[in-house]
Amino acid sequence: MTTLPTRRLGRNGPTVSALGLGCMGMSFAYGAADQDESLATLERALERGMTFLDTADIYGPHANEELLGGFLQGRRDQVFLATKFGFVTDPANPGARTVSGRPEYVRSAVEGSLKRLRTDRIDLYYQHRVDPNVPIEDTVGAMAELVAQGKVRYLGLSEPSAQTLERAQAVHPITAVQSEYSLWTRDPENNGVLATCERLGVGFVPYSPLGRGFLTGAITDTGSLSRDDFRLSTPRFQGDNFARNLELAQQAKDLAASKGCTPAQLALAWVLAQGEHIVPIPGTKRRKYLDDNLGAVEVTLTADDLARLDAVFAPGAAAGERYTEAGMAMIGR
Ligand SMILES: NC(=O)c1ccc[n+]([C@@H]2O[C@H](COP(=O)([O-])OP(=O)(O)OC[C@H]3O[C@@H](n4cnc5c(N)ncnc54)[C@H](OP(=O)(O)O)[C@@H]3O)[C@@H](O)[C@H]2O)c1
């Protein structure tokens, strides 16, 4: 069993495990929760050296941070803990979400996360979505105060535009950008975000690197997903789009078979191969998937493999957007 290597998050940032663990699905978005298996998965992750954990206050909401808060008792120092703020829900209308980057909101959100995570510090605090009504300088200024107070160690942004990232970086060093990036979501290559991260020395954390599970080849029928599964609300998992996307997944399965690895490992190896400043956070609530995903670090893709994957998954190859129109409107601001 290979030990999980580490990578540096950003030019002057912390060293973290080369694969992080996305914890969202343990409490949110992808079907029923299984607390015992989730805790066992977290335990296994730490044993295997996967110590970079990713959550957010909106996952649940709150339940995912609470799960981690319990798990981390007595082992807080073993992990690099990332969480996020910014999505605001209305208890009277739980389906509706707005975004807030107001300084007073930042100051209150962090207190909630610290309490639920049962810790005195967050290692990496991301703004989950940029608030178009608040200058990024004001939001990051408030986040920087949290660093000065010792409540937060490093700052991040999720799904910002390249321009917003530059403005944020002028206020306080940004350690990581977290945006969706995978074989079927190549947006950061085309919108300047990856290049800007590299130029500014900012780490890049791809979320949904397994295409929300699709690239593992395990989802061949949307009927297998529970009715409230988040994926069913997204165009890529609907109707003709889904049928067309299955052809892409099949090609990935074929290439994985020819390499002697699993499709999940192929998808993660591809993301890891895109740059040393990249640290993907595949999500799972099961030990068996975790073990599978960790095997990605042993897969070496040749120039020929990368060219074949590039040809199959050329930007725009996936049918359908990755979010609804309302979700897409929150991206890249
Ligand atoms: N910043 C943002 O806006 C944002 C948005 C989305 C996610 N995230 C973060 O990124 C993390 C990862 O993204 P994600 O969870 O959306 O998507 P993902 O990592 O692309 O895929 C997760 C899905 O794949 C399944 N899976 C994982 N490994 C597998 C394997 N080896 N074989 C078969 N299926 C496998 C999981 O199943 P099980 O659930 O059954 O284990 C889950 O349904 C999240 O947990 C969250 O922390 C951030």
Side-chain angles (χ1 to χ4, degrees):
M1 201 186 287
T2 320
T3 314
L4 189 58
T6 55
R7 284 189 170 187
R8 187 157 219 187
L9 210 49
R11 201 171 290 144
N12 301 310
T15 297
V16 296
S17 52
L19 287 172
L21 179 60
C23 299
M24 176 182 79
M26 295 176 179
S27 320
F28 187 62
Y30 301 151
D34 178 343
Q35 172 137 325
D36 290 346
E37 182 60 20
S38 292
L39 291 171
T41 303
L42 284 159
E43 189 113 22
R44 175 79 60 89
L46 262 53
E47 277 162 27
R48 298 283 313 269
M50 189 190 236
T51 51
F52 176 21
L53 305 182
D54 189 82
T55 182
D57 57 5
I58 193 70
Y59 301 158
H62 299 169
N64 200 233
E65 285 189 334
E66 284 163 0
L67 176 80
L68 289 189
F71 172 75
L72 290 174
Q73 289 312 292
R75 47 189 154 202
R76 174 66 186 88
D77 293 344
Q78 294 175 39
V79 308
F80 185 85
L81 181 60
T83 193
K84 320 180 191 79
F85 73 91
F87 280 118
V88 184
T89 48
D90 174 359
N93 183 10
R97 283 181 185 183
T98 52
V99 167
S100 178
R102 287 180 293 115
E104 59 273 28
Y105 180 74
V106 176
R107 290 192 278 270
S108 79
V110 76
E111 298 303 332
S113 287
L114 287 168
K115 197 166 165 216
R116 287 182 293 273
L117 290 164
R118 296 162 72 179
T119 185
D120 59 355
R121 70 201 184 278
I122 291 162
D123 295 314
L124 175 56
Y125 201 38
Y126 294 100
Q127 182 183 24
H128 214 150
R129 290 291 183 274
V130 172
D131 182 346
N133 300 314
V134 177
I136 192 67
E137 289 79 3
D138 294 358
T139 304
V140 174
M143 292 166 76
E145 284 169 23
L146 304 180
V147 176
Q149 292 162 4
K151 294 176 180 171
V152 165
R153 292 175 62 208
Y154 300 98
L155 302 185
L157 302 176
S158 177
E159 296 278 12
S161 66
Q163 199 189 22
T164 297
L165 172 59
E166 293 236 24
R167 285 171 53 193
Q169 178 84 351
V171 177
H172 187 278
I174 300 297
T175 296
V177 162
Q178 180 178 133
S179 296
E180 186 167 348
Y181 186 43
S182 69
L183 280 168
W184 77 343
T185 299
R186 308 282 292 269
D187 309 22
E189 293 171 14
N190 303 319
N191 59 21
V193 169
L194 260 186
T196 305
C197 283
E198 203 157 9
R199 179 166 52 81
L200 299 179
V202 174
F204 187 80
V205 176
Y207 76 76
S208 303
L210 298 167
R212 298 187 183 268
F214 183 77
L215 298 166
T216 69
I219 308 170
T220 53
D221 172 8
T222 52
S224 64
L225 302 176
S226 64
R227 279 176 52 203
D228 61 348
D229 193 299
F230 168 78
R231 289 168 285 208
L232 295 177
S233 71
T234 65
R236 285 186 179 177
F237 283 86
Q238 291 168 353
D240 288 349
N241 289 338
F242 183 75
R244 282 169 54 200
N245 289 330
L246 279 180
E247 292 167 25
L248 291 178
Q250 186 56 51
Q251 297 196 57
K253 274 185 188 171
D254 293 345
L255 182 56
S258 75
K259 295 278 304 169
C261 68
T262 66
Q265 290 167 351
L266 182 77
L268 294 176
W270 179 84
V271 179
L272 286 166
Q274 303 311 305
E276 272 300 311
H277 64 305
I278 293 182
V279 182
I281 46 167
T284 186
K285 53 188 168 207
R286 294 167 217 275
R287 283 167 288 180
K288 71 171 180 182
Y289 288 167
L290 182 85
D291 290 341
D292 181 15
N293 298 341
L294 286 166
V297 297
E298 290 166 54
V299 176
T300 306
L301 298 177
T302 64
D304 190 43
D305 297 332
L306 291 168
R308 278 175 68 189
L309 283 167
D310 250 344
V312 174
F313 290 94
E321 293 281 17
R322 57 194 174 102
Y323 283 109
T324 59
E325 219 178 305
M328 288 305 292
M330 295 181 177
I331 300 289
R333 296 190 293 209

